[in-house]
Amino acid sequence: MNTVLLLILSCVVGVQCFGYVGHRIIGRLTWALVDSNTKQELERHFGGKSIFLQLSSWPDRIKFDVAWKWTFKYHFVNSQDDPPNFCELVPNASEDENLLTGVEMFYNNLNQTNERFVENLSFLIHLVADLHQPLHITAKDHGGPRHYLNFNGQRVPLPLFYDT
């Protein structure tokens, strides 16, 4: 059995981790948990669930766009943790805008304005998924983009390696 498993693993060329696919999975899980009345309203708003699922990864696609660069800070929280000595999610007091405050803000904005409903819902779904990714909640360096690995002869930022 171990030989078969080793053979299968040796044939794997590339693996998709979280990234786009992971966010779509979270979107599907979210959709499955939505009650039927809310689903009907969302389908009316989006014209079907496929658009709803695409919204889950949209914030990653636009976070480096000049118009959306202000949202970058909401994709992570710099914690005061010190693994393995202290492993708790305690945001740095000096950073008042982060992943946790982003979830709260986009959730509150859902009820306040209808013209930005799609954007707020998209960010809310996306950021809840980001909360479940280790590099988004533990690194003291904005998710670790300044840390690199050598992978297949290329220098790759740690978060890019983990997410994709």
Side-chain angles (χ1 to χ4, degrees):
M1 181 66 173
N2 288 342
T3 306
V4 172
L5 181 60
L6 185 60
L7 181 60
I8 291 170
L9 290 175
S10 67
C11 293
V12 175
V13 176
V15 176
Q16 282 283 344
C17 288
F18 207 84
Y20 175 77
V21 174
H23 281 289
R24 289 217 25 155
I25 289 169
I26 296 297
R28 281 191 180 276
L29 293 171
T30 303
W31 185 259
L33 296 172
V34 172
D35 69 61
S36 59
N37 292 334
T38 304
K39 271 186 187 174
Q40 285 179 347
E41 187 63 27
L42 289 171
E43 284 176 337
R44 184 183 65 75
H45 198 79
F46 296 121
K49 74 175 181 181
S50 63
I51 298 298
F52 177 83
L53 298 177
Q54 291 172 10
L55 291 176
S56 61
S57 59
W58 177 72
D60 268 350
R61 291 197 304 267
I62 55 100
K63 69 183 173 189
F64 294 112
D65 184 290
V66 173
W68 292 97
K69 199 164 184 149
W70 65 272
T71 66
F72 183 80
K73 61 190 164 213
Y74 296 117
H75 290 264
F76 56 86
V77 57
N78 287 327
S79 184
Q80 296 179 37
D81 63 347
D82 184 26
N85 304 319
F86 176 70
C87 296
E88 282 187 38
L89 181 54
V90 179
N92 285 337
S94 63
E95 296 177 0
D96 55 348
E97 293 180 308
N98 57 50
L99 179 53
L100 300 174
T101 60
V103 168
E104 181 180 22
M105 179 185 72
F106 289 110
Y107 174 78
N108 289 335
N109 287 347
L110 283 175
N111 297 322
Q112 293 176 0
T113 177
N114 197 18
E115 69 224 21
R116 300 250 185 226
F117 177 80
V118 174
E119 293 168 9
N120 289 314
L121 182 61
S122 179
F123 272 96
L124 183 60
I125 294 166
H126 181 87
L127 297 180
V128 168
D130 278 355
L131 274 171
H132 296 83
Q133 296 184 66
L135 291 177
H136 288 266
I137 62 169
T138 190
K140 296 176 184 175
D141 186 22
H142 301 96
R146 292 182 212 129
H147 303 281
Y148 289 84
L149 301 169
N150 286 322
F151 181 72
N152 285 342
Q154 294 183 332
R155 191 170 183 241
V156 180
L158 182 59
L160 182 65
F161 177 80
Y162 181 84
D163 286 351
T164 59

